[in-house]
Structure formats: structure tokens, C-alpha cells
Amino acid sequence: MSNKQGARNWYIVDGYMPYKGKIDEAGFEGHEAVMILNCQDADAEVVMDIYYEDKEPDQNIPIAVPARRVKCLRMDDPNDTGGIVLDRQKQYSLRFRSDIEVIIQYGRMDIAQPNLAYIGMMGYSE
Amino acid sequence: MSNKQGARNWYIVDGYMPYKGKIDEAGFEGHEAVMILNCQDADAEVVMDIYYEDKEPDQNIPIAVPARRVKCLRMDDPNDTGGIVLDRQKQYSLRFRSDIEVIIQYGRMDIAQPNLAYIGMMGYSE
Amino acid sequence: MSNKQGARNWYIVDGYMPYKGKIDEAGFEGHEAVMILNCQDADAEVVMDIYYEDKEPDQNIPIAVPARRVKCLRMDDPNDTGGIVLDRQKQYSLRFRSDIEVIIQYGRMDIAQPNLAYIGMMGYSE
Amino acid sequence: MSNKQGARNWYIVDGYMPYKGKIDEAGFEGHEAVMILNCQDADAEVVMDIYYEDKEPDQNIPIAVPARRVKCLRMDDPNDTGGIVLDRQKQYSLRFRSDIEVIIQYGRMDIAQPNLAYIGMMGYSE
């Protein structure tokens, strides 16, 4: 069996924070999340870069992922994005670089219409 | 043509069992499933590990996948998860290790709103 | 630039033909499709195998994909599956083997609820 | 850490521009988009080829992606497709070849029913 446990470089291209929705119900707010799985016995130090269509990227936002845990980042929570407030309904992309191998998946939950629609996919890794 | 028939290590990061739904109709219950395809002429012995945000993983849950069959695991059925009862609406991740090459795909069917929404994707393999 | 143009072996694990739907409107019938892209200047000879949960696979169903074309297979059309009639709402998996490199993607369109829900993803390749 | 930053060849097989929808609301029009991320410090020169079911491909449509930017192509906008007008509800596929490594993701937003449904996925790369 392999010792790799993932990859050190991950990319998510189609970041797009959906319309928040008008429904007054807990748990159904349009949002995006990034999940990072660290199967290793050491903590992972990850840096996140945010790319845009029309300006220079924000880079080197630090993210700590403890050993043997999954960490969930909410892209609409500045506590999870190094204080950066992403505009809703604007395109952006994400790059993650980790000091050890991890696995990164992306999810979007959209209730703009207002039915629920999903995107769920692995990032691109190398 | 390749003889690989898949990979021995698979990861699904964004495990999240959706709200069960209130609809009294057979076949439309919010759930997650993991499908394992074994194209080989030998049975596969797979072990599944479940990772969480805030506690140590549950590991080495055994899963048997017969030769030339696809096996479907319902993540809300403790018979398919080694007796572990996963909480709905809590993040978890899955790692699978197999003694022979297999292919693993993940699906989520969510009726929380209550329209049907899907995630379907291959796991990450190495 | 690479000369590969894809891969010769592809797998789709979560085949599941959805409920057909009750809506009398052209073009909105629950279905699955497999799309095969051949970017090469030679025709591709592909064979498809269908795996099940509880019986031996159907194998070596021939599919011709002309040079520089995309071919779309409807899994509910026996003309596209070598005469095999797949049951709706039963799990199956697909393996494709090609004599030259191609790229294979899967799509499911479900209107069971009866809102439209989608899965779209690349197959697993090697 | 790797210096690759993606791949030079990308494929999206299941291009299918959905029904435009009847809703007179800004921002909810059925469409497809292709997002190209260039993390490098040099501009990328990309060429796009469009493959069809029943005719020869359109090839070598030039796309410029500036250094450290994400670029979004709307497939229903001839300004983004080299002047080619794609038919709605007809199958097509895309090949991208870049002079430097980039990462390409595909998204479809469908409101035909008229609820919102999504496909979001990475292209196939080599």
C-alpha cells in the first residue's frame, strides 16, 4: 500500500459564492465549503491563495489541519479565509499548498431559486 | 491495455449525511452511498476508516467485495459501517484501503428542501 | 504537447437509471448517458462491460466511435447497449476498454421528484 | 513543492448548452461556463477545439489567460468562442491545449424545469 495519503498541491477553479437566499430556516444558507482531510500522524501546515479575474491574488493565508482530522472551511466566514471577505456572485479560484500530503474536496450549496442545488467534487491535485 | 483495474487507496473527504426528509414516499430518503467496483477475478478485502473533525478516527472496518461485482454501502445503515452510527448533518471523511485494485465512487441524495439534489463523484485514488 | 488524447480504460461505478418521470413534456425524461470523445484521426473500437451487484457481468459489447467525433450512449436505449435492457432503479457499473485513447464522461438526469437533478463527472481512467 | 501548476491538455466531453429558461430574472439563465486558472507568472496562450457528433471539429480558437488570473468563458457568448454560435440542446465536446500549465473546470447551470440544477467538475487532463 502507498504511503502518499494525497498530494501537496490542490486547485479549485470555479469558486463562486452563491446568493445567500431569503429563507429563514436554519441550515439552508447558500454557501461554499472546502474540506481538507489529513490522514497522517503529523499536523499539516497549508497555505491558501485566492485568484481573481481582474486583480492580483491574495496569497499565503495559513490554515492548520491537525493530524487524523478533517477540517472544514466556510468561504463566507472571514475567520476561515484569513480575514478576506469574498464577494458573492464573483468568480474566484483557490490554490492550496501543504507541507505534507492531504486530500481536498469542494462543495457548493445553492438555494438561489430557491431549490437546493449542489456541486461536489475533488480538487485538482499534483 | 492496462491490468491495473483501479487503485488500492481511495479517499472521500466531504462525507455529510443529509437531513432525512419528511416525505412518506418509498425510495426518496436523503442518504449517502459508496459504490465499490471489483472488476477482478479475485474477491477484494477492503478496510474503511472514518475521520471526523473533533475526535480520533474509527479504523479498519472490514468490507468484502466479491470478484466481478459492484457493492453498494449505505452510510446510514450500521450493517454497512461496521456498526457505527453516523450523525446526520456532521462532517466526516472516508479512507478505503484494498488488497487488490478497485474503483470507488460516492453519491449523496439530498431532499432537505425537499427537492432532490445530487452529488456524484469519483473518490480520490492513489 | 502530449500525444495521449485520453486513456484506454475507463470505469463508471455508480450506474443507476433513475425513475422515468411522469411529465408529458418532450426532452425531460429521467435518463443516463455516457459520452465518448475521440480526438484522434483514427476510429476507436471500444468494448463495454456491465457489472451488477448479484450476477455475472455482461461483457464485450462493441461500440464504434469515429475519428474526431463525440458519441453519446443512452443507457435506456438497447440499441446503444448491445440489446441489453437495464432495469431502472438498480445499481450497475460500467467498464470501457478502447484500442486507442479516448475520454469518457457520465451524466445522469433525474426528474423523480420531479425537479431536475444532475450528476456529471469524468469516468475513472487508467 | 511541485512546479507544474496544472497541465497543458484538458478535455471536457459532455458539453450541452441547456434550455435558456423562461424566467425574467437577472442572473438565472441556463448556461455553461469554462473556467481557466493560470497560477503562473507568464500569460497562457490556449487554443480551444470544439468536437461534434456529426461534423468535423472547429479548431484552434485562441484564448488568452493572463498571468495570475482566472478567466471565465461563457459558451453561449460568441465573443468567448471565436465567433462560433453553439446550438442549445446539442452535444459537443471541448479540447484545450495550452503553451503552459493551467487548470480547467466546467460548470453547467440548468433551469429548464425551471428549478436550478448544477454540474460542476474538473476537466480531464494530461
Side-chain angles (χ1 to χ4, degrees), chain D residues 31-80:
Chain D
H31 70 270
E32 291 174 293
V34 170
M35 282 66 62
I36 307 176
L37 173 60
N38 179 5
C39 292
Q40 316 231 31
D41 289 322
D43 296 348
E45 290 182 37
V46 181
V47 291
M48 177 171 72
D49 305 322
I50 309 178
Y51 288 84
Y52 305 99
E53 283 185 290
D54 50 9
K55 61 178 179 183
E56 289 294 318
D58 288 305
Q59 294 191 296
N60 296 313
I61 301 160
I63 299 163
V65 186
R68 300 179 303 280
R69 293 290 184 279
V70 54
K71 186 180 186 87
C72 183
L73 306 176
R74 278 281 296 246
M75 298 309 295
D76 56 345
D77 183 349
N79 293 318
D80 286 355

Side-chain angles (χ1 to χ4, degrees), chain A residues 4-20:
Chain A
K4 275 189 62 205
Q5 311 271 352
R8 294 187 183 203
N9 297 281
W10 289 87
Y11 304 86
I12 292 160
V13 184
D14 184 16
Y16 186 89
M17 205 180 307
Y19 179 64
K20 199 174 178 175

Side-chain angles (χ1 to χ4, degrees), chain C residues 1-2 4-6 10 28 35 37 39 68-70 72 103 105 111 114-116 118 121-122 125, chain D residues 9 11 13-14 51-53 55-56 91 93 95 97 108 110 112-113 115 117-119 121 124 126:
Chain C
M1 289 184 189
S2 162
K4 274 190 60 200
Q5 310 271 353
W10 290 87
F28 295 120
M35 282 66 60
L37 173 60
C39 292
R68 299 178 304 281
R69 294 291 184 278
V70 54
C72 184
I103 306 108
Q105 191 173 331
I111 59 164
N115 70 289
L116 176 62
Y118 264 137
M121 48 158 238
M122 289 289 165
S125 63
Chain D
N9 297 282
Y11 304 87
V13 184
D14 184 16
Y51 288 84
Y52 305 99
E53 283 185 290
K55 61 178 179 183
E56 289 294 318
Q91 193 76 46
S93 299
R95 178 174 62 169
R97 290 171 290 171
R108 188 191 303 168
D110 192 326
Q113 274 239 341
N115 70 289
Y118 264 137
I119 292 176
M121 48 158 238
Y124 174 83
E126 66 186 19

